[in-house]
Amino acid sequence: MLYGIAAATASFLLAALLAGLLRAPALRLALLDRRRRRPVPLLGGVAVVLVTGLVAWAGDGTGVVPLGPAVGRLLVAATAVGALGLAADVWRLRRRWVVAGSAVAAACVVPYEVTGPVAGGLAVVWIALVAAAFQGLDHADGVAGTVGVVTAFGVAACAAAEVMDALAVLLSVLAAALTGFLLHNWHPARVALGACGSLFAGFLLAGAAVFTRAGHEPGTGAGVLFALTAVAGADAVLVLLSRRLARRPPLRSVRPSATGGRGRLPRGAAVTLGLASFCGVLVGVLVHTGWGTVEVAVAVGAGVVAVAALSRVRVYGPAGRARTVDREPSRATGVGPAASSRGAIFPVRQTRSSEKVQVSAPLRVRNG
């Protein structure tokens, strides 16, 4: 108990310090998230990965909280996925390769001897998809960190109920590291998780959730896993639906979502999504501990209604066109947005209202 408090405190302080220190190198190396209104450095996830691994392995090395083979393998795989995410931040890897790498890492940690081959294969796919969904949440200020903290505490409670002390401590360390990172990621964000931190957090949370539900009834287990990651799943479904309706490629880097899209996040939106995530996590913990099963149906219905409602929000213009940013006439030229856009596409000299019009009537040309 005392070590858990000390580990969480150390993780919080170290992550806050390291995330602030890594901001300058990210700016110098031009590792920026350009999907927002202003570029944000991307090395905040490196701080979360380093601090979580350092504190967890310190507890294992001192013998205070041994991780064990299964949890240690999960942490190693999550760190490898985080390294893959860092490569995606640096070299802009295609998302299909990132998802494939996450699936390979998940295949190395799923306990097939408990889940069985069929359920284990489904768990591999689910872990990879949850990791990708958490990567999508990092496009706006404070969202990925807030949802990650709430989910980590929920999965830690499930692990504690199964007497998985090492896994519970690891998730508490992750939650504390994300909280320290949020000091720099709250609106307006000074640093972002990037693919490195978001993939690491999503993979570790999904893998830990699979560990806690291994050996339980499959139907209830699927409901608990859905409830624990309801917000990330709803956001991913909304993105796919909106892009499908707008006839856009499904794997674009600039993405609309439940948070408003393109980094335009109000200050209260992260809190709202955090509360929604708390509701889903609470339902998952209650069902996992045997306090009821009706809540799962309620959570599923609420998630479906939320996705259906959010999918009606216009995040793209008609026929998939980009929305016009400048809606006011230009002060220098007096030309409206349509004319200014034409001038940007066709670099010809535009006629100003103050200039004398040479031809005031249509020209008529006779044949012959």
Side-chain angles (χ1 to χ4, degrees), residues 239-252 254-256 262 315-323:
V239 169
L240 294 177
L241 286 178
S242 60
R243 290 177 182 174
R244 177 67 177 176
L245 294 176
R247 297 180 180 180
R248 286 174 173 259
L251 299 178
R252 293 177 62 92
V254 178
R255 58 196 303 278
R262 303 177 191 274
V315 291
Y316 292 118
R321 294 180 182 177
R323 292 177 295 183

Side-chain angles (χ1 to χ4, degrees), residues 23-344:
R23 184 175 183 273
L27 291 173
R28 191 175 299 110
L29 296 174
L31 295 178
L32 306 174
D33 184 0
R34 304 183 184 277
R35 297 176 295 177
R36 314 186 188 204
R37 286 183 173 180
R38 55 186 179 81
V40 180
L42 284 176
L43 290 184
V46 176
V48 174
V49 174
L50 291 178
V51 170
T52 303
L54 176 64
V55 175
W57 288 118
D60 179 77
T62 56
V64 179
V65 182
L67 295 179
V71 179
R73 188 165 58 248
L74 174 63
L75 181 57
V76 171
T79 305
V81 172
L84 178 63
L86 180 60
D89 289 332
V90 175
W91 292 296
R92 307 294 181 186
L93 299 180
R94 293 182 179 271
R95 186 159 298 183
R96 62 173 66 97
W97 298 113
V98 176
V99 175
S102 301
V104 171
C108 298
V109 300
V110 171
Y112 301 100
E113 64 279 2
V114 181
T115 61
V118 178
L122 294 176
V124 168
V125 176
W126 184 78
I127 291 174
L129 293 179
V130 169
F134 266 85
Q135 181 186 1
L137 287 176
D138 188 48
H139 74 291
D141 299 350
V143 172
T146 303
V147 175
V149 169
V150 174
T151 307
F153 279 122
V155 182
C158 295
E162 297 293 326
V163 200
M164 298 180 176
D165 296 335
L167 188 59
V169 171
L170 175 61
L171 293 172
S172 301
V173 169
L174 173 64
L178 288 173
T179 305
F181 159 77
L182 277 175
L183 296 180
H184 303 278
N185 187 243
W186 204 253
H187 183 78
R190 299 179 67 251
V191 68
L193 276 176
C196 175
S198 56
L199 286 173
F200 172 80
F203 185 93
L204 188 57
L205 292 172
V210 169
F211 277 21
T212 59
R213 292 303 304 176
H216 292 265
E217 197 272 327
T220 307
V224 171
L225 294 180
F226 170 79
L228 291 174
T229 58
V231 171
D235 181 79
V237 171
L238 172 62
V239 169
L240 294 177
L241 286 178
S242 60
R243 290 177 182 174
R244 177 67 177 176
L245 294 176
R247 297 180 180 180
R248 286 174 173 259
L251 299 178
R252 293 177 62 92
S253 59
V254 178
R255 58 196 303 278
S257 71
T259 59
R262 303 177 191 274
R264 300 178 182 181
L265 180 67
R267 292 180 181 272
V271 178
T272 302
L273 291 179
L275 291 176
S277 179
F278 174 77
C279 294
V281 167
L282 179 61
V283 169
V285 173
L286 290 176
V287 175
H288 177 80
T289 54
W291 285 89
T293 58
V294 181
E295 291 83 356
V296 175
V298 175
V300 173
V304 172
V305 171
V307 173
L310 290 172
S311 64
R312 299 179 63 85
V313 178
R314 287 187 65 183
V315 291
Y316 292 118
R321 294 180 182 177
R323 292 177 295 183
T324 303
V325 177
D326 188 9
R327 299 180 181 273
E328 299 181 356
S330 175
R331 295 183 179 179
T333 61
V335 182
S340 61
S341 61
R342 287 194 300 267

